[in-house]
Amino acid sequence: MNRTDVARAIAAATSIAASLDLPADDAVVLHNSNKLALRLTPCDVFARVAPEGQEVAQFEVELAQRLTEVGSPVGRLEPRADPRVYRRDGFAVTLWTYYEPATPPTSPAGYAEALERLHAGMRAVDLPSPRFTDRITEAEDVVADPARSPELADADRALLGGRLASLREAIVGRGAAEQLLHGEPHPGNVLSTAEGPLFIDLETCCRGPVEFDLAHAPVAVGEHYPGVDQGLLDDCRQLVIAMIATWRWEVGDQFPDGRWFGEECLRLLRAGPPWPALDTLTGTH
């Protein structure tokens, strides 16, 4: 969000908290991209704020409730507030428990075990959700429309369009079992807490093979997850790189340093395998 929208989003979140008798005299920005993540103090509430109409917050709230009921390792909703989406001044706000970071950080084995438990819980609740191929279609639409990606060079447009189509065919063609997934369980969406690793940001959930989720995690996590199809995981890692490249070139993208990430993902696609995990890409910048 730009500076003006950030100020308005903070005002909306603090106003909602105050109306619920949750004192919020200050707000610390934890992350800012298309959505805003805030720590409200002194009530110690984690608030997620998105422009109204650009989120699926109600789905996230319902899914978090159901996953909590079956003991899945997810961040819980704030217990002092009704579990729902709050709307104010053009923003959708959800309120969550704030967890103090634990040390040491989550190990790859702990990360993999928590992700396996999350997947088990998701098989139990199994809410209707998009398929991972819907996300590929969204990326293909951005690549195919110069009005949505005007700064993308023709050669790069051809590269991304061809790669997205071939990877869809390759992954679907493997015929792997599909289930409800987190969608983006990268390290930024995993909290190291005293309770163990907890997953947050459930808006990205989709159906697909578990290797699609593992493609967002560090390489060492996949080494501890049982029954992984390594060839499928490699295809999924390449797919994630291609989709990230696409989103970074879309008009209106607000990801921090987005253009650098877009260029770097294109470089990786040209360079070929081995395909790195997201944390490796982030660590180079």
Side-chain angles (χ1 to χ4, degrees), residues 115-272:
L115 186 57
E116 188 179 5
R117 287 173 51 216
L118 177 67
H119 287 156
M122 287 182 155
R123 288 193 295 272
V125 301
D126 201 21
L127 289 174
S129 65
R131 195 180 178 206
F132 79 103
T133 51
D134 295 337
R135 198 174 300 181
I136 300 176
T137 299
E138 292 170 6
E140 289 175 322
D141 290 345
V142 172
V143 171
D145 186 355
R148 296 182 63 183
S149 51
E151 296 183 43
L152 186 61
D154 290 344
D156 296 333
R157 194 180 302 279
L159 170 65
L160 286 174
R163 200 66 61 92
L164 289 166
S166 63
L167 287 167
R168 177 205 294 269
E169 182 177 357
I171 294 170
V172 173
R174 288 180 179 271
E178 298 185 7
Q179 67 155 84
L180 185 62
L181 304 173
H182 181 286
E184 292 185 1
H186 55 70
N189 284 333
V190 184
L191 303 179
S192 294
T193 77
E195 301 178 21
L198 299 176
F199 291 89
I200 60 172
D201 197 354
L202 301 171
E203 288 190 350
T204 56
C205 284
C206 60
R207 294 190 64 84
V210 294
E211 285 82 0
F212 183 77
D213 260 3
L214 286 165
H216 293 79
V219 170
V221 173
E223 296 171 354
H224 289 277
Y225 195 103
V228 174
D229 181 329
Q230 190 59 54
L232 178 55
L233 178 55
D234 286 345
D235 284 345
C236 288
R237 282 208 182 103
Q238 186 183 176
L239 174 61
V240 168
I241 293 170
M243 291 194 299
I244 290 174
T246 300
W247 307 140
R248 301 295 75 85
W249 290 94
E250 186 176 16
V251 168
D253 179 63
Q254 297 181 40
F255 192 85
D257 299 319
R259 185 49 45 85
W260 181 90
F261 281 98
E263 302 250 1
E264 182 64 9
C265 287
L266 287 171
R267 184 192 68 77
L268 291 171
L269 291 173
R270 294 190 198 97

Side-chain angles (χ1 to χ4, degrees), residues 6-15 17 22-31 36-49 95 98:
V6 167
R8 291 177 50 240
I10 290 174
T14 55
S15 174
L22 298 171
D25 301 327
D26 192 23
V28 178
V29 176
L30 302 176
H31 183 70
L36 195 66
L38 303 170
R39 179 187 182 183
L40 305 181
T41 59
C43 61
D44 251 358
V45 169
F46 177 60
R48 298 186 69 236
V49 189
L95 304 177
Y98 176 78

Side-chain angles (χ1 to χ4, degrees), residues 42-91:
C43 61
D44 251 358
V45 169
F46 177 60
R48 298 186 69 236
V49 189
E52 199 166 13
Q54 298 182 24
E55 35 52 54
V56 289
Q58 187 56 50
F59 169 83
E60 182 181 29
V61 166
E62 182 178 352
L63 180 57
Q65 286 181 285
R66 294 183 62 175
L67 287 171
T68 298
E69 290 170 359
V70 298
S72 288
V74 295
R76 293 187 294 274
L77 291 155
E78 168 54 51
R80 293 169 290 178
D82 289 337
R84 65 180 183 86
V85 181
Y86 297 85
R87 303 184 185 277
R88 188 159 302 186
D89 192 24
F91 294 100

